[in-house]
């Protein structure tokens, strides 16, 4: 072939009479070369690294998905009402199962006669005062302080139409119930209350009971960011007078004093003196009556990043408002902090505290803090 295709000079036998044979031979040479090139390319593709090639195939597939058009939400909702949340990762697909298990646990604990005194409470005015109403979207929200309730109140304020967006709500208005446009369930007639309890979407948020108490203590007696002087000047002295063991100690209220007060079986007489301020540390049972009211969803502070979008979706409002951004790590349970605050407090006092909050631990699936009790 090489001699025919690349001759050094034209052979003597190749005369002008045989010129058509020359062109036929040249065409045959080019055809052989072309077929050789095709065959070599095929061989190269066949013996490439299978993983690399597979990844290349996958990339091509992902980038050639047909354009399905805009989602309905993008077409129908104006820009200011679009949700700002991210797409849910695959882990959130198990959310419905998690919430079903939480509600089933509550039903089982409510049926436990041994825990009846810790899990049941009357649906009194105290409970109804904790439940905020959004009639426009048929939502009831039970307030449980120290678990991110301020943000949920902002969500409801926007939904009720008092302010156009969460960013527009002044901080001093959120907890001013004469200005924030959030009616309490207690403001309705008995018939209207029952109708809403039976038909509205109902939810509240819980948190590890002991960590919540630490948060309440810091917020009301240490930092007091909203300048509520009655906690330090009225409530703290009342607790110190009754529960401080070392009478020569002149410091302000300590967490140990707070724990003794809360763990005292006879704490109620002080509660009556303190009035509604006790909402920051009474049990979730006392606040929301979970065995008497059938809630739609119970969110957990520790998984709020997942639970908040789920609640908005289940309530049918995820296209109208988003839960404010949650700073990274702020909702994670901090055992080190809990150990630090309970350091030096007697096991007797901690066990009495647990005895009071045992209903909350059992109803909402929080692990018994044996590292503090034993």
């Amino acid at each position: 072939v090489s001699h025919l295709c690349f001759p050094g000079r034209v052979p003597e036998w190749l005369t002008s009479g045989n010129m058509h044979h020359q062109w036929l031979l040249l065409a045959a040479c080019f055809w052989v070369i072309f077929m050789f090139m095709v065959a070599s390319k095929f061989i190269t593709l066949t013996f490439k690294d299978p993983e690399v090639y597979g990844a290349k195939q996958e990339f091509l597939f992902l980038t050639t998905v047909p354009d399905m058009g805009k989602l309905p939400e993008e077409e129908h909702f104006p820009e200011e009402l679009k949700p700002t949340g991210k797409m849910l990762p695959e882990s959130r697909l198990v959310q419905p199962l998690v919430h079903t298990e939480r509600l089933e646990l509550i039903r089982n604990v409510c049926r436990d006669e041994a825990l009846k005194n810790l899990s049941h409470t009357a649906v009194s005015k105290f409970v109804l005062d904790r439940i905020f109403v959004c009639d426009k979207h048929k939502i009831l929200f039970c307030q449980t302080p120290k678990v991110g309730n301020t943000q949920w109140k902002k969500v409801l304020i926007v939904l009720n139409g008092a302010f156009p967006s969460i960013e527009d709500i002044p901080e001093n208005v959120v907890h001013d119930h004469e200005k924030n446009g959030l009616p309490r369930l207690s403001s309705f007639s008995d018939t209207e209350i029952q109708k809403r309890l039976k038909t509205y979407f109902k939810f509240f948020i819980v948190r590890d009971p002991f960590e919540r108490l630490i948060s309440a203590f810091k917020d009301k007696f240490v930092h007091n960011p909203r300048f509520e002087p009655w906690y330090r000047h009225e409530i703290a002295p009342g607790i110190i007078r009754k529960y401080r063991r070392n009478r020569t100690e002149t410091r302000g209220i300590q967490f140990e004093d707070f724990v003794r007060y809360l763990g005292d079986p006879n704490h109620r007489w002080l509660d009556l003196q303190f009035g509604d301020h006790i909402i920051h540390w009474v049990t979730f049972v006392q606040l929301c009556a979970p065995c008497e009211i059938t809630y739609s969803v119970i969110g957990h502070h520790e998984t709020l990043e997942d639970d908040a979008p789920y609640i908005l979706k289940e309530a049918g409002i995820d296209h109208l408002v988003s839960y404010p951004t949650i700073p990274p790590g702020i909702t994670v349970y901090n055992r080190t902090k809990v150990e630090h605050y309970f350091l030096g407090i007697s096991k007797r006092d901690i066990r009495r505290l647990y005895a009071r909050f045992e209903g909350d631990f059992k109803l909402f699936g929080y692990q018994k803090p044996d590292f503090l009790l034993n």
Side-chain angles (χ1 to χ4, degrees):
V1 172
S2 62
H3 172 72
L4 293 172
C5 297
F6 306 100
R9 63 191 182 91
V10 178
E12 293 178 359
W13 54 268
L14 193 57
T15 63
S16 60
N18 293 323
M19 188 65 68
H20 65 283
H21 291 293
Q22 178 184 6
W23 291 111
L24 287 173
L25 287 171
L26 286 172
C29 290
F30 283 116
W31 176 255
V32 170
I33 293 170
F34 173 76
M35 291 302 295
F36 179 78
M37 292 173 63
V38 171
S40 65
K41 183 67 175 178
F42 174 77
I43 292 168
T44 303
L45 287 173
T46 303
F47 290 98
K48 274 188 177 180
D49 185 321
E51 290 190 9
V52 174
Y53 185 56
K56 183 67 174 178
Q57 282 182 314
E58 181 179 345
F59 174 76
L60 290 173
F61 173 76
L62 290 174
T63 55
T64 56
V65 175
D67 183 10
M68 301 302 290
K70 291 185 177 181
L71 296 175
E73 288 80 3
E74 293 182 339
E75 294 177 343
H76 297 304
F77 298 120
E79 188 68 31
E80 64 271 14
L81 292 180
K82 282 185 182 178
T84 57
K86 299 176 182 177
M87 288 185 65
L88 297 182
E90 186 177 348
S91 62
R92 292 190 188 174
L93 296 178
V94 300
Q95 279 293 300
L97 178 60
V98 169
H99 290 282
T100 299
E101 291 174 346
R102 289 176 183 174
L103 296 177
E104 183 63 27
L105 174 62
I106 290 173
R107 284 192 290 269
N108 291 336
V109 174
C110 289
R111 289 193 289 262
D112 188 340
E113 288 294 325
L115 291 171
K116 189 172 183 179
N117 290 337
L118 295 170
S119 60
H120 288 261
T121 191
V123 183
S124 61
K125 185 179 183 300
F126 181 82
V127 171
L128 298 176
D129 278 344
R130 310 279 78 76
I131 301 177
F132 296 101
V133 181
C134 176
D135 277 329
K136 185 176 181 179
H137 299 281
K138 297 186 175 181
I139 297 171
L140 299 180
F141 166 61
C142 184
Q143 178 188 21
T144 48
K146 309 276 73 75
V147 296
N149 278 264
T150 297
Q151 306 304 334
W152 284 111
K153 289 170 91 170
K154 289 179 180 179
V155 168
L156 293 181
I157 289 169
V158 171
L159 290 173
N160 275 351
F163 289 89
S165 71
I166 287 174
E167 292 73 24
D168 292 324
I169 306 172
E171 285 299 320
N172 64 324
V173 170
V174 178
H175 301 289
D176 187 336
H177 300 296
E178 294 182 359
K179 298 179 181 178
N180 63 17
L182 286 181
R184 299 174 189 261
L185 191 55
S186 58
S187 65
F188 295 87
S189 67
D190 290 344
T191 302
E192 291 296 316
I193 289 172
Q194 292 305 315
K195 183 180 76 172
R196 285 165 175 77
L197 286 174
K198 288 178 181 177
T199 60
Y200 280 21
F201 177 86
K202 302 173 288 294
F203 77 101
F204 67 96
I205 313 297
V206 296
R207 183 181 188 178
D208 176 86
F210 279 8
E211 193 169 38
R212 173 176 168 250
L213 294 178
I214 292 170
S215 178
F217 177 79
K218 289 169 60 180
D219 186 56
K220 299 306 175 187
F221 299 110
V222 180
H223 302 306
N224 202 248
R226 295 194 186 95
F227 187 67
E228 300 164 308
W230 48 88
Y231 285 101
R232 287 179 178 173
H233 301 314
E234 297 175 26
I235 295 176
I239 294 173
I240 291 171
R241 279 193 299 270
K242 183 167 176 60
Y243 295 103
R244 177 157 293 179
R245 286 177 177 162
N246 183 0
R247 298 296 179 179
T248 62
E249 175 63 66
T250 57
R251 289 183 301 170
I253 188 170
Q254 302 297 299
F255 189 64
E256 183 178 11
D257 306 320
F258 191 54
V259 167
R260 287 202 196 97
Y261 152 56
L262 296 177
D264 183 1
N266 299 313
H267 61 83
R268 286 185 177 81
W269 76 270
L270 260 189
D271 289 350
L272 291 173
Q273 295 181 40
F274 298 157
D276 278 359
H277 300 306
I278 64 172
I279 65 171
H280 298 280
W281 51 76
V282 297
T283 66
F284 296 128
V285 170
Q286 291 172 280
L287 291 169
C288 299
C291 288
E292 286 67 37
I293 298 174
T294 304
Y295 285 90
S296 311
V297 177
I298 308 294
H300 281 225
H301 184 262
E302 294 79 5
T303 55
L304 194 57
E305 189 172 348
D306 290 338
D307 291 357
Y310 178 81
I311 290 170
L312 295 176
K313 179 176 178 294
E314 290 297 295
I317 55 174
D318 55 321
H319 62 287
L320 298 174
V321 66
S322 294
Y323 189 83
T325 302
I326 301 170
I330 197 171
T331 63
V332 177
Y333 174 73
N334 190 336
R335 173 170 167 163
T336 302
K337 178 177 68 176
V338 173
E339 289 177 324
H340 170 74
Y341 270 84
F342 281 91
L343 185 67
I345 300 177
S346 72
K347 299 298 181 185
R348 172 181 172 273
D349 289 335
I350 299 175
R351 288 173 188 145
R352 290 175 70 170
L353 182 69
Y354 176 77
R356 178 178 176 188
F357 287 86
E358 184 180 6
D360 283 358
F361 277 96
K362 295 285 179 67
L363 279 164
F364 307 111
Y366 286 102
Q367 189 173 359
K368 184 179 179 180
D370 288 321
F371 64 95
L372 296 176
L373 299 169
N374 299 328

